[in-house]
């Protein structure tokens, strides 16, 4: 399949490229950047939601699934962009948010209008709330005063959860998928798709020992997989090479893997690896080992619009470590997902004042913290979970007007980092698709593994390391020095080496 060796590139549209100078990225902006994306070597683009939305959660609160938000352009702009992407052999996958709609979606407005409305049952209404907590903090239930019932929202209160028990909802969503398939998109990224169904007895969630809520009855409910299978089957029947990637709100590999079984998604985001808080090589190696046993191809990424950038979080601003992570991600058997700006080592953006914070989750956190600390401390702590960090506006020219959000600081080593990413992507193209990973070893902070005919040595340590091979190999990337018989290599501190079997 086309996606097995592809390098994906996530575009967080509002912060990517602004074609008309209004401070918001837009679809024309992406189209203008196609030559740049081609130069980088990426082969598929993932566009975050661009549908009409009140943007409480920056587009993940959709008020019309089959249109383009005027802030980003028009459907004509989208078609033009798609055509040009395809002309340039770039595939395009779009983000679909089917767990919830905006409370401004006409479906919700109808549903909320009366208990007898035909769409009442399209959402989840109750007289009494459960103790379920929203993933953005606070109760997941909101009292709606017209009918005096609570509706369920697993995220912000402006994002009401659809009721997937209702066959009409399934049908309506299938029609949305058909609409975009018809326009020619190449795949879908399914937002928090494991949240789709909830316990039909509405049991309260238990608490962990730490006091934190255990999400037992509001995610991964029995029966969810058959709903998903049905949906995937329908779209694959229409376009067999359509690519489907699931976002599962979990960093546990066994849970994530449940969603890539036969007939389910082609792959799912491996948060077990991608969202690690710091560079813990033991954890990284363990997760990596488990991922090679996973059926199908896992995903490899260290950045997204939901987390601090890996330049700050993992590499701690060290370009050598950053390069090692790039090798690991790109020269591997999984599907790599880059996030805009990563290829130039973009830095976290940190708002200096609460009025500059845009992320709904960070705003909620700030409000909660104010009850126990002063504003300055609350901002510092809210910034620790602030998703704005990776959403800073990318700068493409010297001009630096403030957009809808502040700018992502540029990395002074950006050009060199880009050159490395380009080289690695080319290497992946010429040597891949990779089949089998073997020999994963972590010794003295040096991670090494084999993919097919390639031997990869990533020395994260402070000492030069010596590696011995059974088969002689020649250097194809990196700074390791191969011995004269070709059967061992010495790799300097914080450096890498990729060798290829001779013959
Ligand atoms: C996951 C998305 O990546 C995130 O940005 C969003 O806030 C939630 N899903 C809710 O849709």
């Amino acid at each position: 399949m086309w996606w097995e060796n592809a390098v994906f590139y996530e575009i967080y549209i509002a912060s990517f490229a602004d074609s008309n100078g209004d401070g918001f990225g837009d679809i024309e902006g992406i189209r203008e950047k196609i030559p740049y994306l081609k130069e980088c070597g990426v082969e598929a683009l993932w566009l975050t939601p661009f549908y009409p939305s009140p943007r409480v959660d920056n587009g993940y609160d959709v008020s019309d699934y089959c249109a383009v938000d005027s802030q980003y352009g028009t459907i004509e702009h989208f078609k033009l962009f798609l055509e040009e992407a395809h002309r340039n052999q770039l595939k395009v996958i779009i983000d679909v948010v089917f767990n919830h709609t905006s409370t401004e979606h006409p479906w919700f407005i109808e549903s909320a209008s009366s208990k007898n409305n035909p769409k009442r049952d399209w959402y989840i209404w109750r007289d009494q709330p459960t103790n379920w907590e929203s993933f953005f903090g606070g109760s997941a239930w909101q009292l709606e005063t017209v009918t005096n019932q609570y509706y369920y929202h697993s995220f912000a209160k402006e994002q009401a959860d659809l009721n997937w028990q209702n066959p009409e909802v399934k049908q309506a969503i299938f029609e949305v998928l058909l609409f975009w398939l018809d326009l020619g998109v190449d795949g879908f990224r399914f937002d928090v798709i494991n949240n789709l169904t909830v316990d039909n007895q509405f049991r309260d969630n238990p608490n962990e020992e730490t006091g934190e809520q255990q999400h037992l009855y509001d995610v991964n409910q029995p029966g969810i997989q058959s709903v998903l299978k049905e949906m995937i089957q329908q779209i694959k029947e229409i376009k067999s090479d359509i690519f489907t990637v699931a976002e599962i709100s979990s960093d546990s590999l066994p849970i994530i893997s449940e969603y890539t079984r036969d007939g389910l998604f082609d792959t799912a985001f491996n948060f077990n690896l991608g969202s690690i808080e710091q560079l813990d090589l033991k954890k990284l190696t363990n997760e990596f080992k488990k991922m090679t046993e996973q059926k199908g191809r896992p995903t490899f990424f260290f950045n997204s619009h939901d987390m601090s950038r890996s330049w700050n979080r993992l590499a701690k601003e060290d370009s050598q470590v950053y390069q090692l992570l790039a090798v690991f991600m790109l020269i591997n058997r999984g599907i790599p997902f880059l996030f805009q700006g990563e290829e130039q080592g973009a830095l976290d953006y940190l708002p200096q004042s609460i009025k500059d914070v845009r992320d709904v989750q960070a705003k909620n956190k700030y409000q909660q913290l104010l009850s126990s600390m002063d504003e300055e401390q609350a901002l510092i702590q809210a910034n620790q979970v602030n998703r704005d960090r990776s959403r800073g506006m990318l700068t493409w020219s010297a001009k630096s007007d403030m957009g809808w959000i502040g700018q992502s600081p540029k990395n002074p080593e950006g050009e060199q980092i880009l050159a490395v990413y380009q080289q690695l992507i080319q290497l992946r193209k010429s040597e891949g698709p990779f089949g089998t990973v073997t020999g994963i070893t972590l010794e003295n902070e040096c991670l090494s593994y084999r993919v097919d005919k390639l031997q990869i040595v990533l020395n994260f340590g402070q000492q030069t390391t010596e590696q011995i091979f059974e088969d002689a190999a020649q250097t194809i990337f990196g700074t390791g020095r191969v011995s004269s018989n070709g059967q061992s290599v010495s790799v300097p501190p914080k450096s890498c080496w990729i060798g290829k079997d001779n013959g």
Side-chain angles (χ1 to χ4, degrees), residues 63-109:
S63 56
D64 180 354
Y65 285 118
C66 297
V68 171
D69 194 303
S70 56
Q71 188 71 68
Y72 301 132
T74 62
I75 197 86
E76 292 310 318
H77 287 131
F78 182 83
K79 287 184 191 164
L80 208 67
F81 153 72
L82 190 62
E83 219 179 271
E84 200 157 318
H86 284 166
R87 214 174 313 121
N88 283 279
Q89 287 84 44
L90 280 171
K91 302 277 188 185
V92 177
I93 71 165
I94 61 170
D95 215 318
V96 282
V97 190
F98 294 152
N99 177 64
H100 44 264
T101 71
S102 159
T103 47
E104 290 187 24
H105 194 294
W107 297 346
F108 184 81
I109 294 173

Side-chain angles (χ1 to χ4, degrees), residues 35 64 66 69 72 118 121 130 159 162 183 247 260 262 274 294 299 320 327 363 376 391 402 406 412 438 450 454 463:
D64 180 354
C66 297
D69 194 303
Y72 301 132
D121 190 46
T130 62
Q159 293 167 297
L162 283 163
L183 282 188
E247 187 207 30
T260 55
D262 289 341
Q294 209 179 317
T299 53
Q320 285 179 287
V327 175
K363 284 190 211 169
E376 198 184 337
R391 299 174 180 181
M402 169 90 180
T438 51
R450 253 188 105 82
L454 304 188
Q463 311 291 327

Side-chain angles (χ1 to χ4, degrees), residues 10 12 46 57 60-61 95 97 99-100 136 155 159 189 191-192 247 271 304-306 359-361 387 391:
E10 179 192 352
Y12 193 70
W46 151 25
D57 188 18
Y60 284 93
D61 46 328
D95 215 318
V97 190
N99 177 64
H100 44 264
F136 286 164
F155 291 89
Q159 293 167 297
R189 177 259 189 200
D191 189 63
V192 290
E247 187 207 30
F271 291 113
S304 84
H305 65 285
D306 285 332
D359 174 18
V360 56
Q361 191 180 0
R387 297 179 301 169
R391 299 174 180 181

